[in-house]
Amino acid sequence: TQSTWGDTTILEFVPTMVELVAILICICVVAIAFFLKTRSAKPPPPPVVRKKQKETLDIQMLYGSQTGTAEGYARTLVEEAQLFGLKAKVIDLEDFEPDTLTQSDCPLTIFLMATYGEGDPTDNAVSFMQWLCDEQAQPDDLSGLRYTVFGLGNRQYEHFNMAGIKTDKFLNKRGARMVYRLGLGDDDKDIEADFQAWKEQLWQNICAELNVEYKVLESAKVRPGSKWKLHEHPNAKGAQESWRPNPSTNEYDHAHPFLMKVTVNTELYSSDRSCRHIELTSETDFTYHTGDHLGVLPDNPSHSVAELARLLRLDVDIVVSITTEDPNLKIPFKGRLSVGDVLTRCVDLTCTVSPQLVSALAQFATNEDDQKRLAHLGSKDGKDIFHESIAVQMINLVELLQMFPSVQLTLPELLAVAPRLQVRYYSICSSHLRYPKSIHLCVAVLTFGKPNNRQYDGTCSTFLQKTVPNCDNLRVFIRKSTFHPPASTLSPMLLIGPGTGLAPFRGFIQDRLVHLENKKELGQCELYFGCRHQASEFMYKDELEYAANTGAITTLHTAFSRDNAPKTYVQNLLQKNGEEVWQLLQKGGFVYVCGLVQMSKDVIEVLLEIMRTHGSLSEKEASQLWEKMKEDGRFKTDVWT
């Protein structure tokens, strides 16, 4: 039976054999044509990979900073450069690459170079200084570089501003051209004033050098703190912090501290002064060597924090974070902190305010009279009034805001204008051989009267004094030093450390006690210690006498200045024992001095006199011997102002 669809049968739709062959031939022809076309066609071009364009800069600011001051100056200069329409960038010398200078297209480089201690570069500038001062470098490999330098130092030290001076010297030696004078700031007096004086003509000279009009662009002016964005975290239960080392060095530093718990905090004096013995441990794995330093990040006094929060109407319990899109603007803290913690850790509330801070606060005063008075106090014309009413009175930030209550700042604005709370360094008072998992400190608590029956309490020493054992944690890091005992236990040593200058030598002595326990032979060790009164300030007396009795100390020399008339100091004892001291130097002895800078200078004068008197050397010969001892690493200082 056949099926039908309308009038047409299904068989009428079935193709014949001839038609099928024809269809197959057509399909093959089309396929072959398509294959030949695609084979002969050119391959598609590879995707375009755009090379990252080199950043175009007018000025780069390179800084070597230990406590953050030089870094702060570098960032200030970036902001000022932008006022003239110049593109500038801050570079941490820790991230320095030689190409930054040898192959840079940047027209001008400004160096902000701090000196640490007796002429050393800061931690982040060590590699740079080694590269810069390389005697094998080509004399003209920096001939395309234009530069200027501002150094930060302290004139009480023998090698004042060595890092800044050497930077200028070796840049010039390698062919670079200075376009503005070398500036040398003195922290012993007023380094902020020195910085301001140095840059009075800076931008006028730079604009001329770069062929840019010396005119501030109104569009470039920004309100302090406006480039920081404050984020509140109302549902956060507390701070969110990271205690990890610096990813660049894999070491802890002032920007990447770790936590140590206070386990002991006892008083060493029984006088009208206070000196604390503090012991610390940590869950963080750390290593140190006898003679290293501990950097401590202090907290502001709680009463100052509370008063500042009241004056600025800030809620201390709110948890906040700060971000910025400006790569040259460093955020003041990482992670999330309560406002109270920010005020406690980030802003210096105890130091005397500077004219620059006073001037900056004028724009935040809502009262016109306050605006005018603050602007005048911070100006050149108002420097005499500033000296009388602010500097002499030692007015700090909280007190200034009490004097001018119409000044109101947001948290970002405060962080943008206020000085940062700086790290403090302490000589470690223990031996890594005796206490590998514990660090001891010996802390003299600083306190003295201010005008109008007010009292100044040292920020960090008072903070440490009040820490509670097995309760409080400190934010710290270890700074490597060169103030280490000689490599050979047989090397003779002369240790001079009055007051808390004894701190590192307690570690030296503990090292020697460990060596004695291990049956190692020891060389001669003469310790000179001094304080005001034997009965009330002879710290670690029992330990020192035990060390003397066991031979860890050959002789313990003590000077108690207020127990004798005339007053006797360690330098007087050295002078008295001049022949013995000379014999120790003749044996290749190592000399270590720890304490105040002025004491160190007095000791050096006595030692030079001993060389002349007991060694029969001329003044020139004594100086040459002294320089040779320093070159050989046989004279080392750990001093402070």
Side-chain angles (χ1 to χ4, degrees):
T1 306
Q2 296 180 343
S3 297
T4 62
W5 183 27
D7 296 329
T8 309
T9 66
I10 293 177
L11 288 175
E12 292 177 290
F13 286 90
V14 177
T16 65
M17 183 65 68
V18 175
E19 290 173 326
L20 281 172
V21 172
I23 291 171
L24 288 173
I25 292 172
C26 289
I27 291 173
C28 291
V29 169
V30 171
I32 292 169
F34 178 79
F35 171 77
L36 293 174
K37 181 178 180 181
T38 55
R39 187 178 182 184
S40 61
K42 292 181 180 179
V48 177
V49 179
R50 297 187 181 278
K51 290 185 178 180
K52 188 177 179 180
Q53 293 297 313
K54 203 171 184 179
E55 189 174 14
T56 303
L57 295 172
D58 297 306
I59 309 174
Q60 54 188 358
M61 318 292 181
L62 275 63
Y63 69 86
S65 185
Q66 194 67 34
T67 61
T69 304
E71 179 185 358
Y73 287 171
R75 297 188 187 282
T76 295
L77 292 178
V78 166
E79 293 175 6
E80 293 181 359
Q82 292 169 349
L83 294 176
F84 298 96
L86 299 172
K87 189 170 183 181
K89 180 180 181 180
V90 171
I91 299 176
D92 186 338
L93 281 175
E94 188 171 76
D95 304 322
F96 168 78
E97 295 289 343
D99 288 357
T100 306
L101 300 182
T102 57
Q103 298 180 25
S104 174
D105 295 329
C106 184
L108 198 142
T109 303
I110 299 179
F111 294 86
L112 291 305
M113 303 299 295
T115 298
Y116 182 81
E118 285 290 359
D120 296 326
T122 57
D123 292 347
N124 72 320
V126 171
S127 296
F128 164 73
M129 293 301 293
Q130 291 172 345
W131 172 84
L132 179 65
C133 302
D134 183 4
E135 295 293 345
Q136 305 301 316
Q138 296 297 319
D140 60 351
D141 64 340
L142 298 180
S143 58
L145 181 70
R146 291 179 285 179
Y147 75 94
T148 184
V149 179
F150 182 79
L152 297 83
N154 188 306
R155 202 170 288 278
Q156 285 205 36
Y157 291 95
E158 179 184 0
H159 302 289
F160 172 63
N161 251 314
M162 181 59 71
I165 292 170
K166 284 181 74 172
T167 298
D168 174 43
K169 174 184 174 181
F170 281 89
L171 286 172
N172 181 270
K173 184 177 180 180
R174 292 174 64 167
R177 179 169 67 87
M178 175 180 270
V179 298
Y180 187 66
R181 66 181 179 86
L182 171 67
L184 299 177
D186 184 7
D187 194 41
D188 188 44
K189 293 183 178 178
D190 190 343
I191 197 167
E192 184 69 32
D194 293 336
F195 179 60
Q196 297 297 327
W198 172 74
K199 67 187 184 74
E200 273 186 2
Q201 303 296 319
L202 174 69
W203 294 111
Q204 188 172 347
N205 279 264
I206 285 179
C207 286
E209 184 71 29
L210 300 181
N211 197 25
V212 173
E213 183 180 5
Y214 179 58
K215 181 182 179 182
V216 173
L217 303 176
E218 291 298 321
S219 60
K221 291 183 178 180
V222 295
R223 191 176 177 89
S226 62
K227 292 186 177 181
W228 280 330
K229 187 173 182 180
L230 184 70
H231 307 273
E232 294 186 2
H233 305 278
N235 298 321
K237 295 181 179 179
Q240 183 187 61
E241 298 177 272
S242 173
W243 307 105
R244 295 191 181 96
N246 187 328
S248 300
T249 62
N250 202 33
E251 293 183 355
Y252 293 96
D253 55 36
H254 73 280
H256 306 82
F258 66 95
L259 293 179
M260 295 198 81
K261 182 178 286 294
V262 177
T263 57
V264 175
N265 185 352
T266 58
E267 181 59 55
L268 292 170
Y269 288 172
S270 58
S271 66
D272 58 342
R273 300 193 296 180
S274 175
C275 186
R276 311 297 295 186
H277 171 77
I278 295 173
E279 297 183 11
L280 308 166
T281 59
S282 181
E283 294 180 0
T284 300
D285 188 28
F286 68 90
T287 57
Y288 74 98
H289 288 90
T290 304
D292 283 345
H293 300 147
L294 187 73
V296 178
L297 285 80
D299 287 356
N300 279 311
S302 57
H303 63 85
S304 298
V305 171
E307 177 62 6
L308 180 63
R310 185 191 69 81
L311 290 166
L312 298 182
R313 303 164 192 168
L314 298 172
D315 185 343
V316 296
D317 295 323
I318 294 178
V319 176
V320 297
S321 61
I322 287 182
T323 58
T324 181
E325 294 181 357
D326 187 342
N328 286 310
L329 194 59
K330 188 176 183 180
I331 57 175
F333 62 90
K334 297 181 177 70
R336 298 198 302 253
L337 292 178
S338 69
V339 171
D341 282 342
V342 174
L343 301 182
T344 298
R345 301 179 185 181
C346 299
V347 181
D348 194 331
L349 303 184
T350 60
C351 69
T352 301
V353 296
S354 67
Q356 292 71 38
L357 174 57
V358 172
S359 179
L361 290 175
Q363 63 187 299
F364 299 103
T366 56
N367 179 282
E368 189 175 348
D369 288 340
D370 284 354
Q371 283 182 2
K372 291 179 180 178
R373 288 173 59 203
L374 286 166
H376 182 66
L377 276 172
S379 68
K380 284 186 180 180
D381 294 338
K383 67 179 181 179
D384 292 336
I385 301 176
F386 177 88
H387 178 75
E388 296 282 337
S389 61
I390 304 294
V392 172
Q393 301 298 320
M394 300 181 66
I395 300 297
N396 60 38
L397 176 59
V398 175
E399 292 168 332
L400 185 71
L401 293 176
Q402 289 172 334
M403 294 165 58
F404 296 92
S406 78
V407 174
Q408 289 296 308
L409 306 91
T410 64
L411 186 62
E413 289 168 345
L414 174 69
L415 294 170
V417 299
R420 301 289 172 86
L421 190 53
Q422 303 290 357
V423 62
R424 269 66 167 181
Y425 291 95
Y426 292 92
S427 302
I428 293 177
C429 187
S430 53
S431 157
H432 73 286
L433 299 179
R434 176 70 78 198
Y435 299 101
K437 296 303 178 184
S438 176
I439 287 179
H440 300 181
L441 300 180
C442 174
V443 181
V445 180
L446 177 64
T447 180
F448 56 83
K450 289 167 59 170
N452 300 321
N453 296 317
R454 291 144 59 235
Q455 180 170 299
Y456 176 85
D457 295 322
T459 304
C460 195
S461 61
T462 304
F463 164 65
L464 291 172
Q465 179 190 36
K466 295 180 178 179
T467 54
V468 179
N470 301 313
C471 179
D472 289 333
N473 290 314
L474 305 182
R475 294 170 295 130
V476 304
F477 62 96
I478 295 162
R479 185 185 191 275
K480 307 298 182 187
S481 92
T482 58
F483 198 80
H484 298 150
S488 171
T489 61
L490 295 174
S491 298
M493 290 193 293
L494 176 60
L495 311 180
I496 305 161
T500 54
L502 177 63
F505 301 138
R506 181 173 178 262
F508 281 39
I509 293 164
Q510 289 174 353
D511 270 8
R512 289 170 66 86
L513 287 167
V514 172
H515 293 324
L516 283 175
E517 293 166 7
N518 294 329
K519 309 300 183 185
K520 287 188 177 180
E521 189 177 350
L522 300 181
Q524 182 182 356
C525 177
E526 304 292 325
L527 174 64
Y528 284 75
F529 169 75
C531 60
R532 296 191 308 173
H533 301 288
Q534 179 177 9
S536 59
E537 296 182 356
F538 190 176
M539 63 176 71
Y540 303 115
K541 177 176 181 290
D542 293 343
E543 291 184 23
L544 296 180
E545 290 178 346
Y546 173 78
N549 291 333
T550 57
I553 300 173
T554 306
T555 315
L556 173 60
H557 307 268
T558 54
F560 306 108
S561 60
R562 305 297 172 88
D563 291 345
N564 302 298
K567 294 177 181 178
T568 303
Y569 300 100
V570 290
Q571 50 266 44
N572 302 125
L573 293 183
L574 287 166
Q575 204 163 28
K576 180 181 176 182
N577 301 327
E579 180 59 33
E580 175 190 306
V581 171
W582 172 246
Q583 292 302 323
L584 185 143
L585 298 181
Q586 285 292 91
K587 295 175 187 175
F590 286 68
V591 179
Y592 295 84
V593 181
C594 183
L596 293 172
V597 171
Q598 188 55 54
M599 177 276 302
S600 175
K601 291 179 179 178
D602 293 341
V603 165
I604 291 172
E605 285 302 316
V606 169
L607 292 174
L608 287 170
E609 183 182 335
I610 288 172
M611 291 178 182
R612 294 190 294 266
T613 303
H614 297 276
S616 300
L617 301 181
S618 66
E619 187 169 337
K620 181 179 179 181
E621 288 170 335
S623 296
Q624 289 174 338
L625 175 58
W626 191 248
E627 290 301 319
K628 185 69 167 60
M629 285 182 62
K630 289 193 287 186
E631 288 176 13
D632 294 344
R634 288 176 51 213
F635 174 72
K636 297 184 179 183
T637 60
D638 181 2
V639 294
W640 54 84
T641 56

